[in-house]
């Protein structure tokens, strides 16, 4: 067992806080929901939103992330700089290991996750809540088409993946973001409030 793995295991066992992994298909509105919650809890010192490390240049359009080269990402991964890392759509994504500092204080940490990496999240965090953001297929298809990034076949494939069930062993909270952002945002805020006040 490597030192990095040993340290992650020790961090997992001593962290009393909760990691909330927000997942869902592309176009479902995860970033918008997280921004809604971030604004609502702007003054909370016991709530933290993760800035992910991604092998993608900063473009000012998507999420605020730490851009790195693939070589740098691999070096960080080997050095144990990530609590969780994964690959998707040709990119590398990492959740910095410093989240354990916040979790060790009993705080709540919100991270933009991935359904494909949930087993890794489960291994990394003793107290894990998965927020699965969904939307009705026709709503999701319209949003994806409006972005103009995918072909019709790509959109169909994304819609198929969106219906794949998550593991029953996970603590999953479903949030339907088919309608107004305010409604889904309030649901996420209420969940976070409950976690912040959990003794």
């Amino acid at each position: 067992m490597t030192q990095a793995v040993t340290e992650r295991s020790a961090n997992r066992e001593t962290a009393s806080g909760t990691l909330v992994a927000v997942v869902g298909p592309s176009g479902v509105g995860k970033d918008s929901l997280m921004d809604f919650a971030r604004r609502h809890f702007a003054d909370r010192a016991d709530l933290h939103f993760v800035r992910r490390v991604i092998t993608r240049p900063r473009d000012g359009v998507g999420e605020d992330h730490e851009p790195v080269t693939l070589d740098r990402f691999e070096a960080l991964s080997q050095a144990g700089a990530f609590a969780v890392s994964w690959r998707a759509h040709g990119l590398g994504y990492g959740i910095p290991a410093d989240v354990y500092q916040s979790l060790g204080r009993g705080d709540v940490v919100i991270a933009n996750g991935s359904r494909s990496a949930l087993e890794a999240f489960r291994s990394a965090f003793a107290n894990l809540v998965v927020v699965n953001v969904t939307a009705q297929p026709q709503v999701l298809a319209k949003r994806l088409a409006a972005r103009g990034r995918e072909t019709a076949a790509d959109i169909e494939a994304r819609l198929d993946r969106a219906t794949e069930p998550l593991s029953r062993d996970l603590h999953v909270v479903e949030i339907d973001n088919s309608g107004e952002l305010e409604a889904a945002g309030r649901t996420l805020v209420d969940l976070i409030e409950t976690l912040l006040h959990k003794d």
Side-chain angles (χ1 to χ4, degrees), residues 157-181:
R158 286 189 180 276
L159 292 176
D160 287 341
R161 288 196 298 273
T163 60
E164 294 175 359
L166 299 182
S167 171
R168 293 175 179 266
D169 297 332
L170 294 167
H171 177 184
V172 179
V173 177
E174 302 274 352
I175 296 182
D176 188 335
N177 193 31
S178 300
E180 294 296 323
L181 177 64

PDB file of all heavy atoms in Angstrom, residues 157-181:
ATOM      1  N   ALA A 157     -27.227   9.378 -26.902  1.00  0.00           N
ATOM      2  CA  ALA A 157     -26.379   8.563 -26.032  1.00  0.00           C
ATOM      3  C   ALA A 157     -26.357   9.137 -24.616  1.00  0.00           C
ATOM      4  O   ALA A 157     -26.396   8.399 -23.628  1.00  0.00           O
ATOM      5  CB  ALA A 157     -24.961   8.497 -26.589  1.00  0.00           C
ATOM      6  N   ARG A 158     -26.312  10.459 -24.509  1.00  0.00           N
ATOM      7  CA  ARG A 158     -26.318  11.097 -23.190  1.00  0.00           C
ATOM      8  C   ARG A 158     -27.643  10.836 -22.476  1.00  0.00           C
ATOM      9  O   ARG A 158     -27.670  10.609 -21.262  1.00  0.00           O
ATOM     10  CB  ARG A 158     -26.083  12.601 -23.317  1.00  0.00           C
ATOM     11  CG  ARG A 158     -24.641  12.989 -23.640  1.00  0.00           C
ATOM     12  CD  ARG A 158     -24.449  14.489 -23.527  1.00  0.00           C
ATOM     13  NE  ARG A 158     -23.092  14.900 -23.820  1.00  0.00           N
ATOM     14  CZ  ARG A 158     -22.092  14.887 -22.952  1.00  0.00           C
ATOM     15  NH1 ARG A 158     -22.301  14.434 -21.722  1.00  0.00           N
ATOM     16  NH2 ARG A 158     -20.895  15.307 -23.293  1.00  0.00           N
ATOM     17  N   LEU A 159     -28.733  10.870 -23.210  1.00  0.00           N
ATOM     18  CA  LEU A 159     -30.040  10.623 -22.605  1.00  0.00           C
ATOM     19  C   LEU A 159     -30.150   9.184 -22.110  1.00  0.00           C
ATOM     20  O   LEU A 159     -30.747   8.926 -21.062  1.00  0.00           O
ATOM     21  CB  LEU A 159     -31.156  10.929 -23.613  1.00  0.00           C
ATOM     22  CG  LEU A 159     -31.317  12.397 -24.001  1.00  0.00           C
ATOM     23  CD1 LEU A 159     -32.390  12.550 -25.080  1.00  0.00           C
ATOM     24  CD2 LEU A 159     -31.661  13.244 -22.792  1.00  0.00           C
ATOM     25  N   ASP A 160     -29.543   8.255 -22.846  1.00  0.00           N
ATOM     26  CA  ASP A 160     -29.548   6.861 -22.419  1.00  0.00           C
ATOM     27  C   ASP A 160     -28.776   6.689 -21.114  1.00  0.00           C
ATOM     28  O   ASP A 160     -29.217   5.992 -20.203  1.00  0.00           O
ATOM     29  CB  ASP A 160     -28.942   5.960 -23.497  1.00  0.00           C
ATOM     30  CG  ASP A 160     -29.865   5.788 -24.699  1.00  0.00           C
ATOM     31  OD1 ASP A 160     -31.075   6.049 -24.542  1.00  0.00           O
ATOM     32  OD2 ASP A 160     -29.371   5.417 -25.778  1.00  0.00           O
ATOM     33  N   ARG A 161     -27.611   7.347 -21.018  1.00  0.00           N
ATOM     34  CA  ARG A 161     -26.807   7.242 -19.800  1.00  0.00           C
ATOM     35  C   ARG A 161     -27.502   7.901 -18.619  1.00  0.00           C
ATOM     36  O   ARG A 161     -27.319   7.488 -17.462  1.00  0.00           O
ATOM     37  CB  ARG A 161     -25.431   7.880 -20.017  1.00  0.00           C
ATOM     38  CG  ARG A 161     -24.511   7.086 -20.922  1.00  0.00           C
ATOM     39  CD  ARG A 161     -23.076   7.536 -20.789  1.00  0.00           C
ATOM     40  NE  ARG A 161     -22.900   8.922 -21.177  1.00  0.00           N
ATOM     41  CZ  ARG A 161     -22.666   9.339 -22.402  1.00  0.00           C
ATOM     42  NH1 ARG A 161     -22.588   8.460 -23.390  1.00  0.00           N
ATOM     43  NH2 ARG A 161     -22.501  10.618 -22.678  1.00  0.00           N
ATOM     44  N   ALA A 162     -28.313   8.923 -18.904  1.00  0.00           N
ATOM     45  CA  ALA A 162     -28.970   9.668 -17.825  1.00  0.00           C
ATOM     46  C   ALA A 162     -29.966   8.820 -17.055  1.00  0.00           C
ATOM     47  O   ALA A 162     -30.311   9.132 -15.916  1.00  0.00           O
ATOM     48  CB  ALA A 162     -29.672  10.894 -18.406  1.00  0.00           C
ATOM     49  N   THR A 163     -30.441   7.752 -17.665  1.00  0.00           N
ATOM     50  CA  THR A 163     -31.449   6.914 -17.010  1.00  0.00           C
ATOM     51  C   THR A 163     -30.837   5.727 -16.271  1.00  0.00           C
ATOM     52  O   THR A 163     -31.562   4.943 -15.665  1.00  0.00           O
ATOM     53  CB  THR A 163     -32.460   6.392 -18.045  1.00  0.00           C
ATOM     54  OG1 THR A 163     -31.767   5.611 -19.036  1.00  0.00           O
ATOM     55  CG2 THR A 163     -33.183   7.554 -18.738  1.00  0.00           C
ATOM     56  N   GLU A 164     -29.517   5.578 -16.334  1.00  0.00           N
ATOM     57  CA  GLU A 164     -28.874   4.458 -15.649  1.00  0.00           C
ATOM     58  C   GLU A 164     -28.997   4.656 -14.138  1.00  0.00           C
ATOM     59  O   GLU A 164     -28.677   5.717 -13.612  1.00  0.00           O
ATOM     60  CB  GLU A 164     -27.402   4.364 -16.062  1.00  0.00           C
ATOM     61  CG  GLU A 164     -27.212   4.010 -17.527  1.00  0.00           C
ATOM     62  CD  GLU A 164     -25.761   4.040 -17.945  1.00  0.00           C
ATOM     63  OE1 GLU A 164     -24.905   4.363 -17.077  1.00  0.00           O
ATOM     64  OE2 GLU A 164     -25.470   3.768 -19.114  1.00  0.00           O
ATOM     65  N   PRO A 165     -29.450   3.623 -13.419  1.00  0.00           N
ATOM     66  CA  PRO A 165     -29.640   3.776 -11.965  1.00  0.00           C
ATOM     67  C   PRO A 165     -28.324   3.813 -11.212  1.00  0.00           C
ATOM     68  O   PRO A 165     -27.320   3.255 -11.661  1.00  0.00           O
ATOM     69  CB  PRO A 165     -30.448   2.522 -11.601  1.00  0.00           C
ATOM     70  CG  PRO A 165     -30.042   1.512 -12.634  1.00  0.00           C
ATOM     71  CD  PRO A 165     -29.823   2.285 -13.905  1.00  0.00           C
ATOM     72  N   LEU A 166     -28.333   4.484 -10.056  1.00  0.00           N
ATOM     73  CA  LEU A 166     -27.166   4.523  -9.186  1.00  0.00           C
ATOM     74  C   LEU A 166     -27.233   3.362  -8.207  1.00  0.00           C
ATOM     75  O   LEU A 166     -28.294   2.771  -7.994  1.00  0.00           O
ATOM     76  CB  LEU A 166     -27.119   5.852  -8.428  1.00  0.00           C
ATOM     77  CG  LEU A 166     -27.021   7.117  -9.282  1.00  0.00           C
ATOM     78  CD1 LEU A 166     -26.941   8.349  -8.389  1.00  0.00           C
ATOM     79  CD2 LEU A 166     -25.816   7.065 -10.214  1.00  0.00           C
ATOM     80  N   SER A 167     -26.096   3.052  -7.608  1.00  0.00           N
ATOM     81  CA  SER A 167     -26.031   1.943  -6.655  1.00  0.00           C
ATOM     82  C   SER A 167     -26.998   2.150  -5.496  1.00  0.00           C
ATOM     83  O   SER A 167     -27.113   3.255  -4.957  1.00  0.00           O
ATOM     84  CB  SER A 167     -24.601   1.806  -6.117  1.00  0.00           C
ATOM     85  OG  SER A 167     -24.559   0.893  -5.052  1.00  0.00           O
ATOM     86  N   ARG A 168     -27.665   1.094  -5.102  1.00  0.00           N
ATOM     87  CA  ARG A 168     -28.595   1.157  -3.980  1.00  0.00           C
ATOM     88  C   ARG A 168     -27.859   1.331  -2.648  1.00  0.00           C
ATOM     89  O   ARG A 168     -28.470   1.676  -1.639  1.00  0.00           O
ATOM     90  CB  ARG A 168     -29.443  -0.132  -3.929  1.00  0.00           C
ATOM     91  CG  ARG A 168     -30.390  -0.287  -5.106  1.00  0.00           C
ATOM     92  CD  ARG A 168     -31.088  -1.646  -5.036  1.00  0.00           C
ATOM     93  NE  ARG A 168     -32.031  -1.829  -6.138  1.00  0.00           N
ATOM     94  CZ  ARG A 168     -33.324  -1.555  -6.054  1.00  0.00           C
ATOM     95  NH1 ARG A 168     -33.816  -1.070  -4.936  1.00  0.00           N
ATOM     96  NH2 ARG A 168     -34.121  -1.751  -7.089  1.00  0.00           N
ATOM     97  N   ASP A 169     -26.570   1.073  -2.646  1.00  0.00           N
ATOM     98  CA  ASP A 169     -25.798   1.157  -1.410  1.00  0.00           C
ATOM     99  C   ASP A 169     -25.423   2.591  -1.047  1.00  0.00           C
ATOM    100  O   ASP A 169     -24.917   2.838   0.051  1.00  0.00           O
ATOM    101  CB  ASP A 169     -24.512   0.331  -1.523  1.00  0.00           C
ATOM    102  CG  ASP A 169     -24.817  -1.145  -1.703  1.00  0.00           C
ATOM    103  OD1 ASP A 169     -25.881  -1.581  -1.231  1.00  0.00           O
ATOM    104  OD2 ASP A 169     -23.999  -1.844  -2.320  1.00  0.00           O
ATOM    105  N   LEU A 170     -25.641   3.515  -1.960  1.00  0.00           N
ATOM    106  CA  LEU A 170     -25.281   4.907  -1.727  1.00  0.00           C
ATOM    107  C   LEU A 170     -26.443   5.672  -1.096  1.00  0.00           C
ATOM    108  O   LEU A 170     -27.609   5.322  -1.291  1.00  0.00           O
ATOM    109  CB  LEU A 170     -24.907   5.584  -3.052  1.00  0.00           C
ATOM    110  CG  LEU A 170     -23.641   5.083  -3.743  1.00  0.00           C
ATOM    111  CD1 LEU A 170     -23.590   5.603  -5.173  1.00  0.00           C
ATOM    112  CD2 LEU A 170     -22.397   5.514  -2.977  1.00  0.00           C
ATOM    113  N   HIS A 171     -26.113   6.716  -0.329  1.00  0.00           N
ATOM    114  CA  HIS A 171     -27.137   7.626   0.194  1.00  0.00           C
ATOM    115  C   HIS A 171     -27.395   8.661  -0.899  1.00  0.00           C
ATOM    116  O   HIS A 171     -26.619   9.598  -1.071  1.00  0.00           O
ATOM    117  CB  HIS A 171     -26.642   8.299   1.476  1.00  0.00           C
ATOM    118  CG  HIS A 171     -27.604   9.302   2.029  1.00  0.00           C
ATOM    119  ND1 HIS A 171     -27.319  10.076   3.124  1.00  0.00           N
ATOM    120  CD2 HIS A 171     -28.857   9.662   1.646  1.00  0.00           C
ATOM    121  CE1 HIS A 171     -28.339  10.878   3.387  1.00  0.00           C
ATOM    122  NE2 HIS A 171     -29.271  10.643   2.487  1.00  0.00           N
ATOM    123  N   VAL A 172     -28.461   8.463  -1.647  1.00  0.00           N
ATOM    124  CA  VAL A 172     -28.758   9.309  -2.810  1.00  0.00           C
ATOM    125  C   VAL A 172     -29.987  10.167  -2.557  1.00  0.00           C
ATOM    126  O   VAL A 172     -31.018   9.678  -2.088  1.00  0.00           O
ATOM    127  CB  VAL A 172     -28.985   8.447  -4.073  1.00  0.00           C
ATOM    128  CG1 VAL A 172     -29.321   9.328  -5.274  1.00  0.00           C
ATOM    129  CG2 VAL A 172     -27.748   7.595  -4.365  1.00  0.00           C
ATOM    130  N   VAL A 173     -29.867  11.451  -2.884  1.00  0.00           N
ATOM    131  CA  VAL A 173     -30.989  12.384  -2.846  1.00  0.00           C
ATOM    132  C   VAL A 173     -31.239  12.842  -4.276  1.00  0.00           C
ATOM    133  O   VAL A 173     -30.337  13.362  -4.933  1.00  0.00           O
ATOM    134  CB  VAL A 173     -30.695  13.598  -1.944  1.00  0.00           C
ATOM    135  CG1 VAL A 173     -31.847  14.590  -1.994  1.00  0.00           C
ATOM    136  CG2 VAL A 173     -30.429  13.153  -0.510  1.00  0.00           C
ATOM    137  N   GLU A 174     -32.449  12.621  -4.768  1.00  0.00           N
ATOM    138  CA  GLU A 174     -32.789  13.004  -6.139  1.00  0.00           C
ATOM    139  C   GLU A 174     -33.361  14.420  -6.163  1.00  0.00           C
ATOM    140  O   GLU A 174     -34.222  14.770  -5.353  1.00  0.00           O
ATOM    141  CB  GLU A 174     -33.835  12.034  -6.710  1.00  0.00           C
ATOM    142  CG  GLU A 174     -33.419  10.576  -6.718  1.00  0.00           C
ATOM    143  CD  GLU A 174     -32.628  10.197  -7.956  1.00  0.00           C
ATOM    144  OE1 GLU A 174     -32.529  11.048  -8.882  1.00  0.00           O
ATOM    145  OE2 GLU A 174     -32.111   9.070  -7.995  1.00  0.00           O
ATOM    146  N   ILE A 175     -32.869  15.238  -7.102  1.00  0.00           N
ATOM    147  CA  ILE A 175     -33.412  16.581  -7.300  1.00  0.00           C
ATOM    148  C   ILE A 175     -33.768  16.745  -8.768  1.00  0.00           C
ATOM    149  O   ILE A 175     -32.904  16.649  -9.642  1.00  0.00           O
ATOM    150  CB  ILE A 175     -32.420  17.671  -6.870  1.00  0.00           C
ATOM    151  CG1 ILE A 175     -32.146  17.591  -5.367  1.00  0.00           C
ATOM    152  CG2 ILE A 175     -32.965  19.056  -7.232  1.00  0.00           C
ATOM    153  CD1 ILE A 175     -31.208  18.674  -4.848  1.00  0.00           C
ATOM    154  N   ASP A 176     -35.038  16.972  -9.041  1.00  0.00           N
ATOM    155  CA  ASP A 176     -35.515  17.173 -10.415  1.00  0.00           C
ATOM    156  C   ASP A 176     -35.360  18.645 -10.777  1.00  0.00           C
ATOM    157  O   ASP A 176     -35.974  19.517 -10.164  1.00  0.00           O
ATOM    158  CB  ASP A 176     -36.981  16.753 -10.526  1.00  0.00           C
ATOM    159  CG  ASP A 176     -37.494  16.745 -11.967  1.00  0.00           C
ATOM    160  OD1 ASP A 176     -36.926  17.491 -12.809  1.00  0.00           O
ATOM    161  OD2 ASP A 176     -38.450  16.024 -12.249  1.00  0.00           O
ATOM    162  N   ASN A 177     -34.540  18.919 -11.778  1.00  0.00           N
ATOM    163  CA  ASN A 177     -34.294  20.299 -12.223  1.00  0.00           C
ATOM    164  C   ASN A 177     -34.929  20.556 -13.582  1.00  0.00           C
ATOM    165  O   ASN A 177     -34.386  21.278 -14.418  1.00  0.00           O
ATOM    166  CB  ASN A 177     -32.785  20.571 -12.268  1.00  0.00           C
ATOM    167  CG  ASN A 177     -32.465  22.051 -12.411  1.00  0.00           C
ATOM    168  OD1 ASN A 177     -33.213  22.905 -11.934  1.00  0.00           O
ATOM    169  ND2 ASN A 177     -31.356  22.362 -13.069  1.00  0.00           N
ATOM    170  N   SER A 178     -36.102  19.964 -13.798  1.00  0.00           N
ATOM    171  CA  SER A 178     -36.795  20.154 -15.078  1.00  0.00           C
ATOM    172  C   SER A 178     -37.435  21.526 -15.179  1.00  0.00           C
ATOM    173  O   SER A 178     -37.621  22.054 -16.276  1.00  0.00           O
ATOM    174  CB  SER A 178     -37.886  19.085 -15.252  1.00  0.00           C
ATOM    175  OG  SER A 178     -37.347  17.797 -15.244  1.00  0.00           O
ATOM    176  N   GLY A 179     -37.811  22.109 -14.036  1.00  0.00           N
ATOM    177  CA  GLY A 179     -38.548  23.365 -14.048  1.00  0.00           C
ATOM    178  C   GLY A 179     -37.692  24.559 -13.692  1.00  0.00           C
ATOM    179  O   GLY A 179     -36.550  24.687 -14.142  1.00  0.00           O
ATOM    180  N   GLU A 180     -38.247  25.439 -12.850  1.00  0.00           N
ATOM    181  CA  GLU A 180     -37.546  26.657 -12.461  1.00  0.00           C
ATOM    182  C   GLU A 180     -36.372  26.319 -11.541  1.00  0.00           C
ATOM    183  O   GLU A 180     -36.485  25.485 -10.648  1.00  0.00           O
ATOM    184  CB  GLU A 180     -38.499  27.607 -11.745  1.00  0.00           C
ATOM    185  CG  GLU A 180     -39.613  28.166 -12.630  1.00  0.00           C
ATOM    186  CD  GLU A 180     -39.066  29.023 -13.757  1.00  0.00           C
ATOM    187  OE1 GLU A 180     -38.060  29.748 -13.528  1.00  0.00           O
ATOM    188  OE2 GLU A 180     -39.626  28.973 -14.871  1.00  0.00           O
ATOM    189  N   LEU A 181     -35.256  26.998 -11.766  1.00  0.00           N
ATOM    190  CA  LEU A 181     -34.062  26.776 -10.961  1.00  0.00           C
ATOM    191  C   LEU A 181     -34.338  27.033  -9.482  1.00  0.00           C
ATOM    192  O   LEU A 181     -33.813  26.330  -8.611  1.00  0.00           O
ATOM    193  CB  LEU A 181     -32.925  27.675 -11.442  1.00  0.00           C
ATOM    194  CG  LEU A 181     -31.620  27.600 -10.645  1.00  0.00           C
ATOM    195  CD1 LEU A 181     -30.997  26.217 -10.745  1.00  0.00           C
ATOM    196  CD2 LEU A 181     -30.640  28.669 -11.132  1.00  0.00           C
TER     197      LEU A 181
END
